[in-house]
């Protein structure tokens, strides 16, 4: 990251950094660049590609349609209800 690049990011994201904040940001970007370079230097020729660092398996259940509540039980929770529906206050005139 260059100072010009940092200024471009400031302009793009519509914020301004103080001189000390710019210096700290440049240190952070420099550190990240060094870390990335160090990672690129590692030989990964014989390493399998991984999505997760640990083996993961998904356990899927059968998608079965069921009705866990009865209409009567649901209507009991309503402050006001008709024979088969909740009655709610009108929100739009």
């Amino acid at each position: 990251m260059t100072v010009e690049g940092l200024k471009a990011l400031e302009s793009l994201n519509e914020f301004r950094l103080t001189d000390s904040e710019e210096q700290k940001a440049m240190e952070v970007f420099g550190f990240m660049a060094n870390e990335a370079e160090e990672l690129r230097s590692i030989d990964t020729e014989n390493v399998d590609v991984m999505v997760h660092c640990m083996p993961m398996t998904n356990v899927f259940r059968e998608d079965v349609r069921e009705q866990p509540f009865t209409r009567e039980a649901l209507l009991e929770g309503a402050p006001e209800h008709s024979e088969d529906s909740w009655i709610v206050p009108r929100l739009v005139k």
Side-chain angles (χ1 to χ4, degrees), residues 65-77 86:
R65 181 178 179 211
E66 59 183 72
Q67 182 67 31
F69 304 106
T70 64
R71 180 175 294 275
E72 291 77 25
L74 292 173
L75 288 174
E76 286 175 13
W86 284 31

Side-chain angles (χ1 to χ4, degrees), residues 52-71:
H52 299 283
C53 62
M54 299 172 48
M56 297 189 75
T57 56
N58 285 326
V59 179
F60 295 107
R61 63 171 172 75
E62 182 84 23
D63 191 13
V64 178
R65 181 178 179 211
E66 59 183 72
Q67 182 67 31
F69 304 106
T70 64
R71 180 175 294 275

